[in-house]
Amino acid sequence: MTDIDTILATDFDAYVDNQLDVAGRLRVESYLARHPAEAARVMADLEMRTMLRLALAPQPASGRPETREAARRLSSALAGRRMWAALQRAAAVAVLVSAGWLANSSLGTREVVASVHPPVFVEEAVRAHQTSLVRAGMPSQPEVKTYDREDIRAATAIVMPELPKDWQVADVQIFPSEYGPSVETSIRTRDGTQISLFAVRPGHFAVEQVKNLNLADAEAAWWQLGEVAYAIISSAPNTGLSDEAELLKNSLY
């Protein structure tokens, strides 16, 4: 058994809190390089600690003093590993909502319904939608209009929603993502609205209701059912995609 194999839970805590010397950090990082699951957990801890430090940093226009005081108390409490795992997700949301950061994501968000921070796969959905618009204007890129749910499921392990019969499929494409292939389908709805339906396995299990947000130059609605997450994107803000999202979501049951 090598020295790398003797990593303890307290070593991870010290690594996150930057309490190890160079040799200690190298030992932990060597271990994490061989254990992806532990590495993902430690990275989540580091992200949480960084967000707390940002919340505690002096920022004249970033929230009320009681918000920073609450973050300070939470940071002290998180020193215990048992409380860290239980509180990290709730703490991140609470601090960010109080600081008012959730309305300024990298996507150019103008308004987020219920102050919900869009997950990473929504950014992927927007990029896939934009790519599909580029493809649509290129005669050299033939469109694939066959929406075969069983074929997609067999190839990607992604269950696609059943589309209304009066929706027209313009293109179906497979895109890479962090946890495997994703599916982007360009669709024209009954009223002529051009949207993209995006589906991906985000790497975690959840059951999330439909959420909606307006971007600087688009709109998105998303939800998650089990191990697959879905999003529909429109290039026109304020299109109102919640009804379409609910319709597609209900077809999966």
Side-chain angles (χ1 to χ4, degrees):
M1 181 172 64
T2 66
D3 186 49
I4 294 177
D5 297 324
T6 61
I7 298 295
L8 303 175
T10 53
D11 294 323
F12 294 138
D13 295 338
Y15 180 83
V16 170
D17 292 333
N18 199 25
Q19 296 177 349
L20 296 177
D21 57 18
V22 175
R25 293 187 68 82
L26 178 60
R27 192 164 60 92
V28 171
E29 289 167 357
S30 298
Y31 178 89
L32 294 177
R34 300 182 181 184
H35 299 80
E38 286 292 338
R41 183 179 63 80
V42 170
M43 288 302 296
D45 290 351
L46 285 168
E47 179 185 22
M48 179 60 194
R49 178 64 70 184
T50 299
M51 286 189 292
L52 287 171
R53 287 171 179 166
L54 286 173
L56 291 169
Q59 298 179 15
S62 63
R64 299 171 298 177
E66 52 266 33
T67 299
R68 295 194 296 273
E69 175 60 21
R72 186 195 62 76
R73 292 196 301 268
L74 178 58
S75 180
S76 298
L78 289 178
R81 168 59 61 181
R82 289 176 296 178
M83 293 187 65
W84 180 279
L87 294 178
Q88 66 176 22
R89 186 176 298 274
V93 174
V95 170
L96 291 177
V97 170
S98 299
W101 294 346
L102 293 178
N104 296 285
S105 74
S106 61
L107 289 172
T109 306
R110 295 189 307 189
E111 178 183 2
V112 180
V113 175
S115 296
V116 176
H117 184 61
V120 173
F121 71 80
V122 175
E123 297 187 32
E124 296 179 348
V126 172
R127 288 195 295 269
H129 173 72
Q130 294 169 343
T131 301
S132 71
L133 296 179
V134 174
R135 282 177 49 82
M138 298 176 62
S140 63
Q141 297 294 309
E143 295 177 333
V144 179
K145 299 185 178 182
T146 302
Y147 183 75
D148 190 326
R149 299 171 64 211
E150 288 302 316
D151 187 43
I152 293 172
R153 182 194 61 77
T156 66
I158 292 175
V159 178
M160 297 297 293
E162 182 176 354
L163 302 182
K165 296 186 181 301
D166 53 3
W167 287 17
Q168 297 180 350
V169 175
D171 194 16
V172 181
Q173 295 292 328
I174 304 298
F175 287 89
S177 71
E178 183 176 359
Y179 293 98
S182 63
V183 184
E184 195 275 342
T185 305
S186 298
I187 301 169
R188 188 172 295 276
T189 64
R190 177 175 53 186
D191 61 3
T193 302
Q194 189 73 35
I195 64 173
S196 288
L197 167 62
F198 182 84
V200 68
R201 299 171 71 87
H204 66 276
F205 184 96
V207 178
E208 300 284 350
Q209 299 301 314
V210 171
K211 300 178 181 66
N212 195 85
L213 67 88
N214 284 316
L215 310 175
D217 56 357
E219 182 180 349
W222 76 89
W223 72 97
Q224 184 168 343
L225 188 60
E227 295 182 347
V228 182
Y230 305 85
I232 52 177
I233 310 295
S234 169
S235 294
N238 301 309
T239 302
L241 298 176
S242 294
D243 290 343
E244 287 82 356
E246 289 288 354
L247 180 66
L248 296 175
K249 175 175 172 286
N250 291 336
S251 75
L252 293 164
Y253 289 101

